Amino acid sequence: MSASPSGSHGSRTGVWLIGARGSVATTVVAGCAAVTAGLHPPTGMVTETPDFADTGLPALSSLVFGGHDTVDCPLPKRAEALADGGVLPPGLPSAVGAELAAADREIRPGGPLPGDTRDEDELIAAFAADITDFVRRSGADRAVVVNVASTEPAPTGRTLPASSLYAAAALRAGCPYVNFTPSTGLHHPELAARAAAAGLPYAGRDGKTGQTLLRSVLGPMFAQRALTVRAWSGTNLLGGGDGAALADPAAAAAKNAGKERVLADTLGAPVEGEVHIDDVPALGDWKTAWDHIAFDGFLGARMFLQTTWQGCDSALAAPLVLDLARLAARAQERGLSGPLSELGFYFKDPVGDGPSSLAGQYAELLRFAERLRDGADGRGAQR
Amino acid sequence: MSASPSGSHGSRTGVWLIGARGSVATTVVAGCAAVTAGLHPPTGMVTETPDFADTGLPALSSLVFGGHDTVDCPLPKRAEALADGGVLPPGLPSAVGAELAAADREIRPGGPLPGDTRDEDELIAAFAADITDFVRRSGADRAVVVNVASTEPAPTGRTLPASSLYAAAALRAGCPYVNFTPSTGLHHPELAARAAAAGLPYAGRDGKTGQTLLRSVLGPMFAQRALTVRAWSGTNLLGGGDGAALADPAAAAAKNAGKERVLADTLGAPVEGEVHIDDVPALGDWKTAWDHIAFDGFLGARMFLQTTWQGCDSALAAPLVLDLARLAARAQERGLSGPLSELGFYFKDPVGDGPSSLAGQYAELLRFAERLRDGADGRGAQR
Amino acid sequence: MSASPSGSHGSRTGVWLIGARGSVATTVVAGCAAVTAGLHPPTGMVTETPDFADTGLPALSSLVFGGHDTVDCPLPKRAEALADGGVLPPGLPSAVGAELAAADREIRPGGPLPGDTRDEDELIAAFAADITDFVRRSGADRAVVVNVASTEPAPTGRTLPASSLYAAAALRAGCPYVNFTPSTGLHHPELAARAAAAGLPYAGRDGKTGQTLLRSVLGPMFAQRALTVRAWSGTNLLGGGDGAALADPAAAAAKNAGKERVLADTLGAPVEGEVHIDDVPALGDWKTAWDHIAFDGFLGARMFLQTTWQGCDSALAAPLVLDLARLAARAQERGLSGPLSELGFYFKDPVGDGPSSLAGQYAELLRFAERLRDGADGRGAQR
Amino acid sequence: MSASPSGSHGSRTGVWLIGARGSVATTVVAGCAAVTAGLHPPTGMVTETPDFADTGLPALSSLVFGGHDTVDCPLPKRAEALADGGVLPPGLPSAVGAELAAADREIRPGGPLPGDTRDEDELIAAFAADITDFVRRSGADRAVVVNVASTEPAPTGRTLPASSLYAAAALRAGCPYVNFTPSTGLHHPELAARAAAAGLPYAGRDGKTGQTLLRSVLGPMFAQRALTVRAWSGTNLLGGGDGAALADPAAAAAKNAGKERVLADTLGAPVEGEVHIDDVPALGDWKTAWDHIAFDGFLGARMFLQTTWQGCDSALAAPLVLDLARLAARAQERGLSGPLSELGFYFKDPVGDGPSSLAGQYAELLRFAERLRDGADGRGAQR
């Protein structure tokens, strides 16, 4: 299953996490350390499978972490809370305490907080300076900025939401950018020209970790078998910060748009049915997603498929975040720029054009690995 | 969704069904008539999707049906029973009564029945004669033999089971052969040489209509995401003749082997977990399949996926049987012979080599359509 | 299972249905005729079980039907549509065509419709006159008014909603009243004094047919086992008129209040979790309800129960409506008046005080049967 | 929820566990200590609810533990393993390490082991001596013997199985006996006379912790609503020792008999459908039970209920074992003897006669609490 890709020894790669004290970020930092130390296999990391051997990805041991957040809770303490909730294995927070503390020292205050008098450009400049300081201080060749913060409401008007301020800061700091959330990030009209001019690779939007992952394989199944889906309904129950954020209808709207797009794309047309996201604090970081699919078979026979997915969101997201940081870093090293549409495998609402079935997206990802591997011949850089 | 392929007008293609009075066969005959008459869309028939336009498949309206069975119930009466059980729409049996009666007249007694004194070769000869008589009398260009009979116990010893007698008869009559069941059919050592010498295309084994269809998309999902499946357990509840047949452990063993092979192939290794098949007469032709998958995510997080599939087996199988009869007929017309490994999309335990993921199998099927389409250049015939 | 109670031969009992052309009402009329004719067993009718023998209930064969509705579709045609949707057995509409037509002739226009210039009192008087005409014309000893119309939005202000106009008409006509819906009906402050003065028995509110029925047995199970329910979430998918009506948040609010009350009452305290009602037209009259219950066991072990209920709402409601009409008619005959709290078994939000567990409510119902039985000794009439 | 019953201060009550090193026993000992210390609420313990206040039950703090087992693993180590598997909270094994060690010192070797040359009577005498030594040494007023060992195969012939040897030892030692497993225990013809003569209270058989608990509330629901259950099918997935033991068909047969009896008793007749018990080591002590119920409603409408129960068997069983030990001890103190049929609430296959619905059994249990409470008047002792 696992094959350690040949990393550039001695060099370092920064991973700058927006929402650096959240569940996903904490799991990313703790998990990278745990896998590097051999405490756990790299389950869930596609970049550790044999297909990614010799693709020049930065080694896990070469990754250094920092980021922005608006809360104060130290990473080691956050990790303990996650272990109490069953998200991290008991004992892991202390086993990787040094790495958590090291990342914690590289977390800078995010914003804007209430009362902040800085204007958009000042905020972007401050955030960009935080990132470039981190790169310089850590001796990294480069850093990838990854948004793993709570979903923000869909923006109204021309004001840049926080996620877009951070994205703009990534551009200004010369960093590849990955948006693992449904928040706006680089998808703001005010940033389009800057993104195009920056010559940087970027990827997103909204990591595909559970219900939508399933939909991206089940939708194609119905389509390929010429079965008529009549209604596809879903309910998500989740606690943690994400549950509370998505209980806000405006935030949920952003997320659901991605889910419905996957169905419409794989089935060939929009389909009846709603998606609910309920905040159920009792579930903590564990998410339960129920899908009910009513479909017609031959001669109008009424049939049903139901799925129940019970997963830990942070544990599902973290290995993908590590994958994406490595892929985006290597993409920049290889001279690629613009939307990395080949990474649709990871997202509900991928940038660029690409297939919507998981199988098609996986094939694209393997082709992307080939491009990364062909480092010496310069072909990949002609993009 | 639907695109009527250009059939060879005026010509006829025979479909000879082993188990011609069963639920699947009855649904095949009634459904073909209903779709031809425009009473229902061709839901579930992959060969009616645009990708199969201009591939030279025989038109649905050109298909004529006959077959073997050991029971007497006339097809129109069988169809009424299926309508009472909700398998066929109310009103359909009378709407297609003429076609059901026509097929009924072409059904010959199967065997061997208790007390039958004919030896294997006599039985094969008799069955082959029934088929060639049908082809001649119906004026068909050819006939495809499709096994849709109840699953028989796994054979022991060198005696040919009934399914193999019919398969041998198909070879002797010069007909392409499709085994939609897990029964032995052509997979008998005694028939290997005959199959190789016959120069006929054949396909099988065991139609993939429900739980295994799902497994063939979910297995690859776990593999592609590098998630570790720890156990995959399943229970099938079904009534009808199939439920009773598969309650026999020997018959179930044949079926389960196919299901487990799909998992092992898509996941890369065998996985813990059992499959049960329960005969629940109360369910009639409706099947409920529950799957429970325990998998590990990052850092060993324990997660679960459950699926419940509620389908009508006959309605799921019938359009695939029509697909296969058309594809096999066209394959023979194009001069193809031997195992049609490109039809793995349809089977739990496909002949020949091919991918085990549904997506890979669908891609193979589309390539096969291309081969059928290239009628003029002779490439396809070089097989 | 079934024991035909001794009905008062020769006499007739009227059942006046508000929403007389809806799915439930049509199923009530067709089903009563079908059971009377011996075409079907009285599945789902509690009053046909041995515990209700000799309780003096009106015989099913003595029931005559009429009602109000604002739509025109004739009952026989509505029944055909229900048979097409699988709610009624194929063939039943024609088998009981005479009874459907007879009831259809006794349906009067409901209201108020847009443009109606009658004031509240005129409407009540007109509705009451329709009912008394029906009783007189049909020669019934009495009629019970049962509301089975689509759920209306929760009322605002002092204006009487339609359901309350009908309820007031029942009082004026001297009829027992049963509210099988969550609509206001008699629960309007303007009607409190009239209800108290009328000396009539009444029951309601909101028939307990699926998800809430389950909750009324599962809630007590958790409570009796001292297990701590941490969250109870639910999603209902339903088509038909009810799905559309309940997709209106105001209507759903009325319904959900009843569901949540059952949980709070059986568990001893309100519990976290939402209930969704989705309109899924593809499901027709069939309803799917998923419940997810997170509970804690000993030492805080996190456990889960999920239930999926797939039922036909009309088929679940109709036998209960027949039960209630018979029980209310007999209650009036026995001189009972006021809220029939012993009928909590049937309702989400019962009138009066009573146990909230189904088992407790069933025990109450059996005691009520005893009271009805004791016709000769006058005890029951002392209420 | 919780009300600490008044225990007899200063006195001690012994709990002698057969299978004292298993998951259930370890959870019993650790959990009793944890609740006594105030580390956890007594979730799942019915005897800690207000209805059991002042019933004279021994206080949790007065319980002392010992038992027999054939394996060596020390309890503190076993508890650590359970914490690693998520059965016990992390940190609990060390927090109650002293109590675990104390119980561990009171565990004696069980048997018979291979090569043991003692005959039945010698074994019984040795086991009884172990128990009386424990009572004497611990200064307990009495001890209750509770069988929580792995399920043994159904016995054949007159030889006493191990569970019956322990039960006979309990009789000889003058101890109340509780059989929480489906093993034979006191239900052996050779022991009938001894049990009758012993003048001791006893209870059993086979704790009702998951699927059967559900069935004992859902079965009555269908019966009370006059709905016709057509098939009730179930699959249990479980790892741990119990999964392996029950994968033995002979052991499973004993267990399934209890499950089916609950259905037949609550529904009024046996019902179609099988129960599977699969050993899925990946699940550890967690059990998943899926039930599929096909039922008919009015006019033959086909409906379905599915339930999925995900629980931790040890956490479900342990509080019930503590309940039973306390109840049986108090019963002996009150002079009760013979089968405690009022404890059917706890068992799949209860001794004596009693209701089969959980609600009925709960009412019996509350009446039993009354009998225990009436300590002074002697009524309870007249049994």
Side-chain angles (χ1 to χ4, degrees):
Chain A
M1 171 69 90
S2 158
S4 186
S6 65
S8 314
H9 291 294
S11 71
R12 288 179 159 191
T13 299
V15 180
W16 187 263
L17 300 161
I18 310 302
R21 300 192 189 284
S23 302
V24 174
T26 308
T27 307
V28 164
V29 173
C32 183
V35 173
T36 298
L39 301 176
H40 284 275
T43 309
M45 290 191 62
V46 184
T47 53
E48 288 288 313
T49 59
D51 289 316
F52 288 81
D54 304 318
T55 50
L57 299 178
L60 287 177
S61 59
S62 77
L63 301 184
V64 289
F65 297 92
H68 283 117
D69 208 320
T70 55
V71 298
D72 292 332
C73 177
L75 275 192
K77 193 172 165 194
R78 190 81 181 79
E80 288 293 349
L82 290 175
D84 288 348
V87 178
L88 296 181
L92 188 66
S94 62
V96 299
E99 289 88 344
L100 288 164
D104 193 68
R105 286 191 295 271
E106 296 293 347
I107 301 179
R108 297 292 170 269
L113 291 171
D116 199 326
T117 58
R118 294 174 290 180
D119 67 15
E120 284 184 356
D121 203 61
E122 289 168 327
L123 284 161
I124 293 170
F127 295 155
D130 288 338
I131 300 170
T132 50
D133 282 357
F134 164 68
V135 172
R136 184 181 39 73
R137 200 167 47 247
S138 65
D141 296 335
R142 63 181 48 78
V144 176
V145 174
V146 187
N147 182 14
V148 290
S150 283
T151 301
E152 66 192 9
T156 55
R158 294 184 52 179
T159 309
L160 291 183
S163 66
S164 296
L165 297 175
Y166 292 119
L171 297 182
R172 191 168 299 183
C175 296
Y177 174 78
V178 176
N179 188 357
F180 203 74
T181 80
S183 300
T184 306
L186 270 188
H187 273 57
H188 198 283
E190 299 287 317
L191 298 186
R194 292 186 229 181
L200 292 164
Y202 58 89
R205 186 165 64 157
D206 202 2
K208 188 160 64 185
T209 56
Q211 187 178 53
T212 310
L213 175 65
L214 266 180
R215 290 177 166 203
S216 70
V217 299
L218 295 175
M221 179 190 77
F222 288 108
Q224 289 165 3
R225 278 294 176 99
L227 298 166
T228 305
V229 173
R230 306 182 76 235
W232 198 312
S233 309
T235 296
N236 293 273
L237 312 178
L238 68 164
D242 218 25
L246 293 168
D248 171 358
K255 187 144 200 137
N256 287 345
K259 286 174 186 280
E260 283 163 17
R261 183 171 152 177
V262 168
L263 284 190
D265 286 355
T266 58
L267 296 175
V271 64
E272 192 177 282
E274 298 175 45
V275 173
H276 303 286
I277 303 181
D278 289 9
D279 180 28
V280 183
L283 295 183
D285 272 287
W286 291 81
K287 184 163 87 174
T288 297
W290 175 70
D291 260 19
H292 178 277
I293 306 141
F295 64 101
D296 270 5
F298 199 48
L299 307 177
R302 301 284 171 94
M303 311 195 195
F304 303 96
L305 172 63
Q306 295 175 63
T307 62
T308 308
W309 172 273
Q310 296 169 295
C312 173
D313 242 25
S314 302
L316 288 161
L320 306 181
V321 167
L322 287 167
D323 276 355
L324 287 162
R326 300 170 87 187
L327 292 165
R330 175 63 175 155
Q332 187 185 33
E333 186 183 23
R334 294 279 294 105
L336 305 184
S337 66
L340 298 176
S341 61
E342 297 94 333
L343 301 185
F345 177 75
Y346 291 99
F347 298 108
K348 289 193 189 73
D349 185 15
V351 296
D353 290 322
S356 53
S357 75
L358 190 75
Q361 292 171 334
Y362 185 63
E364 286 279 301
L365 180 64
L366 295 186
R367 277 192 285 276
F368 188 66
E370 281 306 309
R371 290 181 67 195
L372 298 183
R373 188 176 283 121
D374 298 338
D377 65 14
R379 267 185 16 219
Q382 295 171 0
R383 185 192 177 95
Chain B
M1 172 68 91
S2 159
S4 186
S6 65
S8 315
H9 291 294
S11 70
R12 288 180 159 192
T13 298
V15 181
W16 187 264
L17 300 161
I18 311 302
R21 300 193 188 284
S23 303
V24 173
T26 308
T27 307
V28 164
V29 174
C32 183
V35 174
T36 297
L39 301 176
H40 284 275
T43 309
M45 290 190 64
V46 184
T47 54
E48 288 288 313
T49 59
D51 289 316
F52 288 81
D54 304 319
T55 50
L57 298 179
L60 288 177
S61 59
S62 77
L63 301 185
V64 289
F65 297 91
H68 283 117
D69 208 319
T70 56
V71 299
D72 293 331
C73 178
L75 275 192
K77 192 173 164 192
R78 191 80 181 79
E80 287 294 349
L82 290 175
D84 288 349
V87 178
L88 295 181
L92 187 66
S94 63
V96 299
E99 289 87 345
L100 288 165
D104 193 69
R105 285 190 296 272
E106 297 293 348
I107 301 180
R108 297 293 170 268
L113 292 171
D116 199 324
T117 59
R118 294 175 289 180
D119 67 15
E120 284 184 356
D121 203 62
E122 289 168 329
L123 284 162
I124 293 169
F127 294 155
D130 289 337
I131 300 170
T132 49
D133 282 358
F134 165 68
V135 173
R136 184 181 39 73
R137 200 167 48 246
S138 66
D141 296 334
R142 64 181 46 77
V144 176
V145 174
V146 187
N147 182 13
V148 291
S150 284
T151 301
E152 67 191 8
T156 55
R158 295 183 51 178
T159 310
L160 292 183
S163 66
S164 296
L165 297 175
Y166 292 118
L171 296 183
R172 190 169 301 183
C175 296
Y177 174 77
V178 177
N179 189 356
F180 202 75
T181 79
S183 299
T184 306
L186 270 187
H187 273 58
H188 197 283
E190 298 286 317
L191 299 185
R194 292 186 229 181
L200 292 164
Y202 57 88
R205 188 166 62 158
D206 203 2
K208 189 161 63 186
T209 56
Q211 187 178 54
T212 310
L213 175 65
L214 267 179
R215 291 178 164 202
S216 71
V217 299
L218 295 176
M221 178 189 79
F222 288 107
Q224 289 165 2
R225 278 295 176 98
L227 298 166
T228 304
V229 173
R230 305 181 77 234
W232 197 312
S233 308
T235 296
N236 293 272
L237 311 178
L238 69 164
D242 218 24
L246 293 168
D248 171 357
K255 187 143 199 141
N256 287 345
K259 287 175 185 279
E260 283 163 18
R261 183 172 151 176
V262 168
L263 284 190
D265 286 354
T266 57
L267 296 175
V271 63
E272 192 176 283
E274 298 175 46
V275 173
H276 303 286
I277 303 181
D278 289 9
D279 181 29
V280 183
L283 296 182
D285 272 287
W286 292 80
K287 185 164 88 174
T288 297
W290 175 69
D291 260 18
H292 178 277
I293 306 140
F295 64 101
D296 270 5
F298 199 48
L299 307 177
R302 300 284 171 96
M303 312 194 195
F304 304 96
L305 172 64
Q306 294 175 66
T307 63
T308 308
W309 172 274
Q310 295 169 296
C312 173
D313 241 24
S314 302
L316 288 161
L320 306 181
V321 168
L322 288 167
D323 275 356
L324 286 162
R326 300 170 87 187
L327 292 164
R330 174 63 175 155
Q332 186 185 33
E333 186 183 22
R334 294 280 292 106
L336 305 184
S337 67
L340 299 175
S341 62
E342 298 94 333
L343 302 185
F345 178 74
Y346 290 99
F347 298 108
K348 291 193 188 72
D349 185 15
V351 296
D353 290 321
S356 53
S357 75
L358 191 75
Q361 293 171 333
Y362 184 64
E364 285 280 299
L365 181 63
L366 295 186
R367 276 192 286 275
F368 188 65
E370 282 307 308
R371 289 181 67 194
L372 297 183
R373 188 176 283 121
D374 298 338
D377 66 13
R379 266 185 16 220
Q382 295 169 0
R383 188 191 180 94
Chain C
M1 170 68 90
S2 158
S4 186
S6 65
S8 315
H9 291 293
S11 70
R12 288 180 158 189
T13 299
V15 181
W16 188 263
L17 299 161
I18 311 302
R21 299 191 189 285
S23 303
V24 174
T26 308
T27 307
V28 164
V29 174
C32 183
V35 174
T36 297
L39 301 176
H40 284 274
T43 310
M45 289 190 64
V46 184
T47 53
E48 288 288 312
T49 59
D51 289 316
F52 288 81
D54 304 319
T55 50
L57 299 179
L60 287 178
S61 59
S62 77
L63 302 184
V64 289
F65 297 91
H68 282 117
D69 207 319
T70 54
V71 299
D72 293 330
C73 178
L75 275 192
K77 192 172 165 193
R78 190 81 181 79
E80 287 293 349
L82 289 175
D84 288 349
V87 178
L88 296 181
L92 187 66
S94 63
V96 298
E99 289 87 345
L100 289 164
D104 192 69
R105 284 191 297 273
E106 297 293 347
I107 301 179
R108 297 291 170 269
L113 292 171
D116 199 326
T117 58
R118 294 174 290 180
D119 66 16
E120 284 184 357
D121 203 62
E122 289 167 327
L123 285 161
I124 292 169
F127 295 156
D130 289 338
I131 299 170
T132 49
D133 283 356
F134 165 69
V135 172
R136 183 182 39 75
R137 201 168 46 245
S138 65
D141 297 334
R142 63 181 48 78
V144 175
V145 174
V146 187
N147 182 15
V148 290
S150 285
T151 300
E152 66 191 9
T156 55
R158 295 184 52 178
T159 310
L160 293 182
S163 66
S164 296
L165 297 175
Y166 292 119
L171 297 182
R172 190 168 302 183
C175 296
Y177 174 78
V178 177
N179 188 357
F180 203 75
T181 80
S183 300
T184 306
L186 270 188
H187 272 59
H188 197 283
E190 298 287 317
L191 299 185
R194 291 186 230 180
L200 293 164
Y202 57 89
R205 186 165 64 158
D206 202 3
K208 188 161 65 185
T209 56
Q211 188 178 53
T212 310
L213 175 64
L214 267 179
R215 290 177 166 204
S216 70
V217 298
L218 295 175
M221 178 189 79
F222 288 109
Q224 289 166 1
R225 279 295 176 97
L227 299 166
T228 305
V229 173
R230 306 181 77 234
W232 198 312
S233 309
T235 295
N236 293 273
L237 311 178
L238 68 165
D242 218 25
L246 293 169
D248 172 356
K255 187 143 199 139
N256 287 344
K259 286 174 186 281
E260 283 162 18
R261 181 170 153 176
V262 168
L263 284 190
D265 285 355
T266 57
L267 296 175
V271 64
E272 194 176 281
E274 298 176 45
V275 173
H276 303 286
I277 303 181
D278 289 8
D279 181 29
V280 183
L283 295 183
D285 271 288
W286 291 80
K287 184 163 89 173
T288 297
W290 175 70
D291 261 18
H292 178 277
I293 305 139
F295 65 100
D296 269 6
F298 199 48
L299 307 177
R302 301 283 172 96
M303 312 195 196
F304 304 97
L305 172 64
Q306 294 175 64
T307 63
T308 308
W309 171 274
Q310 296 169 295
C312 173
D313 242 26
S314 302
L316 288 161
L320 305 182
V321 168
L322 288 167
D323 275 356
L324 287 163
R326 300 170 88 186
L327 292 165
R330 174 64 175 155
Q332 187 185 32
E333 186 183 22
R334 295 279 294 104
L336 305 184
S337 66
L340 298 175
S341 61
E342 297 94 332
L343 302 185
F345 178 74
Y346 291 99
F347 298 109
K348 291 194 189 71
D349 185 16
V351 297
D353 289 322
S356 54
S357 75
L358 191 75
Q361 292 171 334
Y362 185 64
E364 287 278 300
L365 180 63
L366 295 186
R367 277 192 285 274
F368 188 66
E370 283 305 310
R371 289 181 67 195
L372 298 183
R373 186 176 284 122
D374 297 338
D377 64 14
R379 266 183 20 218
Q382 296 169 0
R383 186 192 178 95
Chain D
M1 170 68 92
S2 158
S4 186
S6 66
S8 315
H9 291 294
S11 70
R12 288 180 159 190
T13 299
V15 181
W16 187 263
L17 300 160
I18 310 302
R21 301 193 189 283
S23 303
V24 173
T26 308
T27 307
V28 164
V29 173
C32 183
V35 173
T36 298
L39 301 175
H40 285 275
T43 310
M45 289 190 63
V46 183
T47 52
E48 288 288 311
T49 59
D51 289 316
F52 288 81
D54 304 319
T55 50
L57 299 179
L60 288 177
S61 58
S62 76
L63 303 184
V64 289
F65 298 92
H68 282 118
D69 208 319
T70 55
V71 298
D72 292 331
C73 178
L75 275 192
K77 192 172 165 193
R78 190 81 182 80
E80 288 293 349
L82 289 175
D84 288 349
V87 178
L88 296 181
L92 187 66
S94 61
V96 299
E99 289 87 346
L100 288 164
D104 193 69
R105 284 191 296 272
E106 297 293 347
I107 301 180
R108 296 292 169 268
L113 291 171
D116 199 325
T117 59
R118 294 175 289 180
D119 66 16
E120 284 183 358
D121 203 62
E122 290 167 328
L123 285 162
I124 293 169
F127 296 155
D130 289 337
I131 299 169
T132 48
D133 283 357
F134 164 68
V135 173
R136 184 182 38 75
R137 200 168 47 246
S138 65
D141 297 333
R142 64 180 47 77
V144 175
V145 174
V146 187
N147 182 14
V148 290
S150 285
T151 301
E152 66 191 8
T156 56
R158 295 183 51 179
T159 310
L160 293 181
S163 66
S164 296
L165 297 175
Y166 292 119
L171 296 183
R172 191 168 301 183
C175 296
Y177 174 78
V178 177
N179 189 357
F180 202 76
T181 80
S183 299
T184 306
L186 270 188
H187 272 59
H188 197 283
E190 300 287 317
L191 299 186
R194 291 186 230 180
L200 293 164
Y202 56 89
R205 187 165 61 158
D206 203 3
K208 189 160 64 183
T209 56
Q211 188 178 53
T212 309
L213 175 64
L214 267 179
R215 290 177 165 203
S216 70
V217 299
L218 295 175
M221 178 189 79
F222 288 108
Q224 289 165 2
R225 278 296 176 98
L227 299 166
T228 305
V229 173
R230 306 182 77 234
W232 198 312
S233 308
T235 295
N236 292 274
L237 312 177
L238 68 164
D242 218 26
L246 293 168
D248 172 357
K255 187 143 199 139
N256 287 344
K259 287 175 185 279
E260 283 162 17
R261 182 172 151 177
V262 168
L263 284 190
D265 286 354
T266 58
L267 296 175
V271 63
E272 193 176 280
E274 298 176 45
V275 173
H276 303 285
I277 303 182
D278 289 9
D279 181 28
V280 183
L283 296 182
D285 271 287
W286 291 80
K287 184 163 88 174
T288 296
W290 175 69
D291 260 19
H292 177 277
I293 306 140
F295 64 100
D296 270 6
F298 199 48
L299 307 177
R302 301 283 172 94
M303 313 195 194
F304 304 96
L305 171 63
Q306 293 174 65
T307 63
T308 308
W309 172 274
Q310 296 169 295
C312 173
D313 242 25
S314 302
L316 288 161
L320 305 182
V321 168
L322 288 167
D323 275 356
L324 287 162
R326 300 170 88 186
L327 292 164
R330 173 65 174 154
Q332 188 185 32
E333 185 183 23
R334 295 278 295 102
L336 306 184
S337 67
L340 298 175
S341 62
E342 298 94 332
L343 302 185
F345 178 75
Y346 292 98
F347 298 108
K348 291 193 188 71
D349 185 14
V351 297
D353 289 322
S356 54
S357 74
L358 192 74
Q361 293 171 334
Y362 185 63
E364 287 278 300
L365 181 64
L366 296 186
R367 277 191 286 274
F368 189 65
E370 283 306 309
R371 290 181 67 196
L372 298 184
R373 187 176 285 122
D374 298 338
D377 65 13
R379 264 185 18 219
Q382 297 170 358
R383 185 192 179 93

